């Protein structure tokens, strides 16, 4: 089997590794991560270094492909672009869980992750480096633009359009014929009944605009980052 590298060593990477193993199409040679110590392990796979080590690894070990296993859309985009710059021959592979359901004429880009129990219905188009998470349902003729993501348990009606680098958070419901702009975040549990523009955060039932956001603003945080953010907010108050 062709050798591939997984970029990332977080919980999201664990799920991606499991999918690749279950697909049994590629051999995971190891992991690359910007922050974890070299030679540490995730499952039985070694962290081989960071992104700067990629060119040497690809050359020395005949690496075919890579998948960027980072949940945050903006961070994933930054890493994908860097990999493309320093290792232009690397192929961005897809990780599609065997228990996912893909309908007729579904179009898939490169570097996509589709997790267990996900359903993508007929004539949908999933752009490069998108995530369709566990038990999410994407309606017919939906379009997910590059670097967008659908969180676990999201339900989306047909003729949906999700903008570049945008995200629908866990458990949200979106009715049919909805368009979401670029760099927009729909919050957890939201019920989306109307279109939303670029660069906003919206949530609620029905969902409404809560605030503006910048293109590069992160929206996924670790527990430590959440604690730090709460501490800062308390100081401000």
């Amino acid at each position: 089997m062709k050798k591939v590298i997984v970029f990332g060593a977080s919980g999201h990477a664990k799920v991606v590794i499991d999918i690749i193993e279950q697909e049994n199409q590629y051999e995971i040679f190891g992991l690359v991560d910007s922050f974890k110590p070299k030679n540490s392990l995730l499952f039985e796979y070694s962290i081989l270094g960071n992104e700067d080590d990629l060119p040497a690894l690809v050359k020395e070990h005949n690496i075919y492909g890579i998948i960027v296993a980072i949940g945050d859309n903006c961070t994933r985009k930054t890493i994908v672009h860097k990999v493309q710059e320093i290792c232009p021959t690397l192929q961005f592979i897809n990780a599609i869980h065997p228990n996912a359901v893909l309908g007729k004429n579904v179009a898939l880009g490169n570097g996509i992750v589709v997790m267990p129990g996900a359903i993508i219905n007929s004539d949908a188009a999933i752009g490069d480096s998108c995530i369709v998470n566990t038990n999410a349902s994407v309606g017919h003729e939906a379009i997910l633009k590059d670097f967008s993501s659908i969180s676990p348990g999201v339900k989306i009606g047909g003729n949906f359009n999700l903008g570049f680098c945008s995200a629908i958070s866990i458990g949200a419901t979106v009715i049919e014929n909805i368009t979401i702009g670029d760099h927009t975040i729909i919050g957890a549990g939201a019920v989306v009944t109307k279109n939303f523009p670029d660069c906003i955060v919206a949530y609620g039932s029905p969902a409404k605009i809560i605030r503006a956001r910048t293109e590069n603003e992160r929206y996924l945080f670790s527990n430590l980052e959440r604690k730090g953010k709460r501490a800062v907010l308390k100081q401000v108050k």
Side-chain angles (χ1 to χ4, degrees), residues 68-209:
V68 178
I70 295 174
D72 183 81
N73 291 343
C74 181
T75 306
R76 187 168 66 259
K77 172 176 66 70
T78 299
I79 294 300
V80 166
H81 289 164
K82 184 164 186 179
V83 171
Q84 289 172 328
E85 180 182 347
I86 64 177
C87 293
T89 62
L90 266 183
Q91 303 297 308
F92 286 87
I93 68 163
N94 291 338
I96 313 293
H97 196 278
N99 288 338
V101 177
L102 272 61
K104 188 172 183 178
N105 294 333
V106 169
L108 299 177
N110 300 309
I112 294 167
V113 176
V114 181
M115 295 194 178
I119 300 172
I120 304 175
N121 280 298
S122 300
D123 282 329
I126 312 299
D128 292 343
S129 297
C130 288
I131 300 169
V132 181
N133 220 305
T134 307
N135 289 333
S137 175
V138 178
H140 61 85
E141 299 167 274
I143 297 172
L144 274 58
K145 293 184 180 177
D146 296 350
F147 303 104
S148 62
S149 60
I150 304 295
S151 294
V154 169
K155 298 179 177 62
I156 295 173
N159 297 295
F160 171 70
N161 194 315
L162 182 61
F164 179 86
C165 228
S166 291
I168 310 296
S169 300
I170 190 167
T173 300
V174 184
I175 69 168
E176 68 280 359
N177 301 314
I178 292 294
T179 295
I180 305 294
D182 299 339
H183 304 285
T184 281
I185 306 299
I186 303 299
V191 177
V192 180
T193 59
K194 63 180 181 180
N195 299 336
F196 285 104
D198 300 345
C199 295
I200 59 95
V201 175
Y203 53 80
S205 179
K208 62 180 180 180
I209 295 175

